[in-house]
Each structure stands twice: as structure tokens, then as C-alpha cells.
């Protein structure tokens, strides 16, 4: 089978036994660096994708997608009518009233700060799945006038309370009485404990909407409406579409989940970018080692280059000869790295679990972390970016030495042969 001379000679140089053992060592070192860099980049980006997916799954399945509130400190009195109008709008699947504020929970000298949400258990299920993650009790056990409370598992553990225990809720507001000014407080009975496996277990508690109205002195009003949409990542545009002149939400303030948790996901995304850039440096170092390899190869093969030029090889053919060498090393390293990285990314969870059994050490202590296994999600987009970037760096690293080889003048070399 016919092959162009530059490809034939370039591949032959790679297969031949080199007299310069240092040059051979650098070649293997560069190849190994490419393999490890590509494999590590694929694996780590997959793990970061897994962490991001776990975070979204645990947090966003619990949080409402959007919020509709009256401007300023005004409450919404006719909230039932607003709720009916909201669920009739395209893209909106559910709505539920809420009152939210910061509070302190105390019991037997233990004090813990939380986010207190007053909700209607009947409607809350349409905007949140918290009822599916109850460790004890039910959201339906919140009844008006009974002053029951549902706690996150970490809150309950830190206060050392269980079902039917009493806790005191203290609001950062005061009540004026004939005998003085006192903080607004009320004793509640624990009727449920939930665990969603996220930070919300340590910060969120629920009471019934009616009890919240009395506690916050809102009468029949509510602070706003929680909204569930059919596409969480379009929650902002769906709600903004109802804010135009004459639209349903024209007189209300709207926000989506990104205002509460968007910073967290942006931080995870930034961390993924920075870790990927740091690992990409490994690939860059290995790729630019090819510059050293080809430069020394050019110096070692000056005589061969001169002979090829006198036999009729053009400068372009000489340049392509060394491009073939560099790209072959790059392709081989990237291909082997991909063969190692993809299976490692797909099975990293099982590998870590096996190592935990062998070593007897838990990577993710369940008493500290919300996850107990190494998550991983391989995305073809990340694989393509890794392969494309690695091959581009390899190509850039081969251009200069190959160009210098093409500039060698055969007459100057053969004069001293």
C-alpha cells in the first residue's frame, strides 16, 4: 500500500532504535504525561459533574422553583385567588402560600438558628417533595392551632429532640406588653423530622400557615406564594413573562431559586473550571515536552534531512515528516488516556468503595458528609473538549521544531560530512 514519504519516514523514525537514550526517555515521559493528564482530566471532570448532579438533585427537588411576594413588607390577603390564577398559567404546575423568617430554636439551654417557614401542608406538596423524605411523622401532622413543628434531621439531632418533644421558637421581633418589651416566642411540639441529605437539614423548619400568621402577626395575610414550574432552569423567564403591563404578576416582586441557591451552583461550576484548568496544565507540560523531543530529533537527524533534501524532498515534506512524529506521540497518548479515563470515570464509585473496604477508611464519613459514595457523571461534551484541547496543544508543540527542520540547508550540513 502506497504511503507518502513523509508519513513513512516519520513513523519509521518513531519505530527505530535511537542511539540517543535520553531522547527516548523524554519521548516516553511525554507520552506518559499525556496519558495521565487526559485520564485524570476525564475522571475529575466526571466526578465534579457527579457532585453537581447530587447537589442539584438533593437541593432543587426540595426547593420551590420561584417566589411571588408583595412589594415592601405588605402581605397578600387574597392569596387563594392568586394561587388559582397562578396554576392556570402556562409553564406553572403548582403554587402554595408561605411565610418565611429567621428564628431561634431553644431547648434545655441549647439554642440553634434556623429558617422558619410557615406553609399549608395541603398545598405544599405541589411545590416541594419534602414529604417524601420524612424520617418520622408527616407534614400532614401540622394542624392549625396545635403549634406543631417539623424539623430537619440535623436540627433535631443538635437540639436532641424527637417526636412530641417541646421546643421554643423565638423571633427577632418584640411584643410590647404592660409589663415591658419581650421577644416574640412560642412553644411548639415536634411532629415530624425530615432528611433530604443536604444543607437544608441543618437550616429549615416548618410550621402550619395559620400558626405562622399568628406568630408573625400577619392576620389573614401571607408573605407570598411559592411556585413550581415545568422547567426549573427556565423558572426566571416563566415568572418574568407574567410581569409585563397588565399581566398577572405586574404588581408583585418575583424571584426564582437561583436567588437563594444560585451562588452555590456558580461556586461548584467555578471550582470545576479551576480544577480542570489545573489538570490541563499537566497535559500542556506533556504536550510541550514534544518541543524538546522534536528539537533534539532535528539536531540528531540533520544529516538525514540534508540527504532527503538532496534527493528531492521539499521543505514542506520535511516539515510534515516531523509533524507526523509529534502528532503520532500526541494521538497515542491521548488515545491511551481516553481508554484509561473513561472506564475509570464510569467505575470510580465502585473503585473507591473497594479501596474503603481494603484500607478500612471512609472517604465520605456519613456523620460529616451528606453523601456516602463517590458520585460520577461522564459527559461526552467534557470528553470531546479534553481530547480536542490535548490534540490542539500537541499540534502547536510540533509546529516550531518541524518548521526549523524545514529551514535546514543541505549544503551547509553536507559540507562537513
Amino acid at each position: 500500500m502506497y504511503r507518502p514519504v513523509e508519513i513513512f519516514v516519520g513513523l519509521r523514525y518513531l519505530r527505530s532504535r535511537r542511539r540517543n537514550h535520553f531522547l527516548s526517555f523524554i519521548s516516553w515521559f511525554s507520552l506518559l504525561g499525556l496519558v495521565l493528564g487526559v485520564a485524570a482530566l476525564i475522571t475529575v471532570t466526571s466526578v465534579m459533574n457527579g457532585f453537581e448532579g447530587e447537589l442539584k438533585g438533593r437541593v432543587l427537588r426540595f426547593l420551590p422553583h420561584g417566589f411571588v411576594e408583595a412589594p415592601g413588607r405588605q402581605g397578600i390577603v387574597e392569596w387563594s385567588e392568586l394561587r388559582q390564577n397562578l396554576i392556570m398559567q402556562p409553564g406553572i404546575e403548582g403554587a402554595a402560600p408561605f411565610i418565611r423568617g429567621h428564628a431561634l430554636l431553644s431547648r434545655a439551654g441549647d439554642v440553634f438558628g434556623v429558617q422558619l417557614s410557615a406553609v399549608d401542608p395541603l398545598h405544599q406538596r405541589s411545590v416541594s417533595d419534602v414529604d417524601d423524605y420524612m424520617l418520622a411523622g408527616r407534614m400532614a401532622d401540622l394542624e392549625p392551632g396545635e403549634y406543631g413543628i417539623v424539623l430537619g434531621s440535623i436540627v433535631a439531632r443538635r437540639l436532641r429532640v424527637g417526636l412530641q418533644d417541646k421546643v421554643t421558637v423565638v423571633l427577632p421581633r418584640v411584643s410590647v406588653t404592660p409589663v415591658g418589651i419581650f421577644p416574640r416566642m412560642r412553644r411548639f411540639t415536634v411532629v415530624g423530622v425530615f432528611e433530604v441529605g443536604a444543607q437544608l437539614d441543618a437550616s429549615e423548619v416548618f410550621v402550619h400557615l395559620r400558626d405562622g400568621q399568628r406568630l408573625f402577626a400577619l392576620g389573614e395575610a401571607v408573605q407570598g406564594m411559592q411556585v413550581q414550574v415545568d422547567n426549573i432552569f427556565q423558572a426566571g423567564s416563566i415568572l418574568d413573562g407574567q410581569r409585563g403591563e397588565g399581566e398577572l404578576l405586574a404588581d408583585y416582586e418575583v424571584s426564582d431559586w437561583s436567588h437563594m441557591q444560585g451562588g452555590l451552583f456558580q461556586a461548584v461550576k467555578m471550582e470545576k473550571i479551576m480544577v480542570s484548568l489545573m489538570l490541563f496544565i499537566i497535559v500542556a507540560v506533556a504536550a510541550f515536552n514534544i518541543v524538546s523531543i522534536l528539537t533534539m530529533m532535528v539536531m540528531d537527524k540533520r544529516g538525514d534531512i540534508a540527504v532527503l533534501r538532496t534527493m528531492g524532498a521539499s521543505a514542506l515534506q520535511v516539515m510534515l515528516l516531523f509533524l507526523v512524529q509529534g502528532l503520532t506521540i500526541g494521538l497515542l497518548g491521548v488515545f491511551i488516556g481516553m481508554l484509561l479515563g473513561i472506564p475509570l470515570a464510569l467505575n470510580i464509585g465502585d473503585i473507591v468503595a473497594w479501596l474503603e473496604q481494603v484500607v478500612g477508611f471512609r472517604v465520605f464519613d456519613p456523620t460529616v458528609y451528606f453523601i456516602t459514595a463517590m458520585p460520577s457523571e461522564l459527559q461526552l461534551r467534557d470528553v470531546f473538549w479534553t481530547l480536542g484541547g490535548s490534540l490542539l496543544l500537541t499540534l502547536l508543540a510540533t509546529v516550531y521544531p518541524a518548521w526549523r527542520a524545514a529551514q535546514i540547508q543541505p549544503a551547509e550540513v553536507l559540507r562537513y560530512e
Side-chain angles (χ1 to χ4, degrees):
M1 182 179 62
Y2 171 76
R3 285 186 295 179
V5 64
E6 54 271 17
I7 296 179
F8 176 79
V9 177
L11 294 177
R12 186 173 180 83
Y13 277 172
L14 286 174
R15 293 197 306 268
S16 63
R17 181 177 295 177
R18 296 192 179 100
R19 292 168 293 178
N20 191 333
H21 294 290
F22 178 72
L23 188 60
S24 178
F25 170 77
I26 295 295
S27 300
W28 283 107
F29 183 81
S30 300
L31 180 64
L32 181 61
L34 279 172
V35 170
L36 294 178
V38 170
L41 198 52
I42 292 175
T43 304
V44 171
T45 53
S46 298
V47 171
M48 295 299 293
N49 291 334
F51 276 114
E52 186 177 4
E54 282 286 325
L55 194 60
K56 287 181 178 179
R58 291 172 184 268
V59 174
L60 298 186
R61 70 189 175 196
F62 173 77
L63 284 178
H65 298 170
F67 302 89
V68 177
E69 301 180 55
R73 293 184 174 273
Q74 303 176 27
I76 302 176
V77 178
E78 302 296 332
W79 61 265
S80 182
E81 180 181 353
L82 175 61
R83 177 184 175 275
Q84 291 297 328
N85 291 330
L86 278 172
I87 60 178
M88 295 175 62
Q89 303 305 311
I92 297 179
E93 296 184 337
F98 77 94
I99 301 170
R100 178 176 287 114
H102 296 289
L104 291 176
L105 298 187
S106 67
R107 179 181 183 271
D110 295 322
V111 180
F112 197 69
V114 295
Q115 180 83 21
L116 186 144
S117 296
V119 299
D120 186 332
L122 179 63
H123 301 311
Q124 186 67 14
R125 192 171 183 84
S126 67
V127 298
S128 174
D129 292 338
V130 65
D131 221 3
D132 297 330
Y133 299 93
M134 300 295 295
L135 295 180
R138 302 173 303 159
M139 288 292 288
D141 293 334
L142 292 175
E143 297 182 0
E146 298 296 327
Y147 292 98
I149 189 170
V150 174
L151 309 178
S153 59
I154 295 178
V155 177
R157 188 160 59 243
R158 291 187 178 180
L159 292 176
R160 291 170 292 181
V161 297
L163 293 182
Q164 302 307 313
D165 287 335
K166 302 289 185 178
V167 296
T168 302
V169 176
V170 183
L171 295 184
R173 304 183 182 188
V174 295
S175 297
V176 180
T177 68
V179 294
I181 299 176
F182 295 94
R184 191 172 299 170
M185 62 177 64
R186 180 80 192 198
R187 287 178 64 82
F188 282 77
T189 302
V190 178
V191 297
V193 178
F194 68 87
E195 183 175 72
V196 298
Q199 184 61 31
L200 299 169
D201 295 337
S203 61
E204 198 83 14
V205 301
F206 295 94
V207 300
H208 195 278
L209 184 66
R210 292 290 186 185
D211 298 337
Q213 288 172 329
R214 297 189 185 98
L215 193 62
F216 287 92
L218 289 178
E220 296 296 319
V222 299
Q223 181 180 339
M225 301 294 297
Q226 304 170 94
V227 179
Q228 189 87 353
V229 299
D230 55 7
N231 187 338
I232 186 170
F233 298 106
Q234 295 181 0
S237 59
I238 291 174
L239 292 175
D240 287 339
Q242 300 294 327
R243 295 196 64 198
E245 185 176 352
E247 296 291 345
L248 175 62
L249 303 180
D251 298 327
Y252 296 93
E253 296 178 354
V254 301
S255 60
D256 59 75
W257 62 274
S258 64
H259 288 77
M260 296 180 61
Q261 300 292 335
L264 178 62
F265 292 105
Q266 288 297 326
V268 172
K269 184 177 295 185
M270 181 59 67
E271 184 178 0
K272 176 184 175 183
I273 293 173
M274 296 307 298
V275 170
S276 299
L277 285 176
M278 293 175 63
L279 289 174
F280 206 69
I281 293 175
I282 300 175
V283 179
V285 170
F288 281 98
N289 274 338
I290 297 176
V291 175
S292 302
I293 298 169
L294 294 184
T295 300
M296 290 187 289
M297 178 72 72
V298 169
M299 298 301 296
D300 192 51
K301 300 295 184 181
R302 285 171 61 88
D304 294 355
I305 295 170
V307 171
L308 287 172
R309 291 298 305 273
T310 58
M311 293 176 63
S314 65
L316 178 60
Q317 286 178 310
V318 173
M319 185 175 179
L320 290 175
L321 185 154
F322 287 96
L323 284 175
V324 167
Q325 286 185 268
L327 288 177
T328 300
I329 295 174
L331 284 170
L332 190 60
V334 170
F335 182 71
I336 297 175
M338 182 183 67
L339 291 181
L340 290 177
I342 291 178
L344 186 61
L346 293 174
N347 299 282
I348 188 66
D350 296 333
I351 294 173
V352 171
W354 177 77
L355 288 175
E356 287 178 340
Q357 292 181 351
V358 172
V359 179
F361 174 76
R362 295 296 299 271
V363 176
F364 297 106
D365 188 343
T367 62
V368 178
Y369 301 99
F370 293 113
I371 60 175
T372 57
M374 179 74 76
S376 180
E377 180 183 341
L378 181 67
Q379 296 182 1
L380 291 179
R381 177 187 59 191
D382 293 330
V383 175
F384 290 146
W385 275 109
T386 300
L387 300 185
S390 302
L391 291 177
L392 179 61
L393 285 176
T394 302
L395 176 61
L396 293 175
T398 60
V399 169
Y400 176 73
W403 178 79
R404 288 298 301 269
Q407 302 306 307
I408 292 177
Q409 299 299 322
E412 294 181 4
V413 176
L414 296 177
R415 180 186 305 172
Y416 303 101
E417 291 293 331

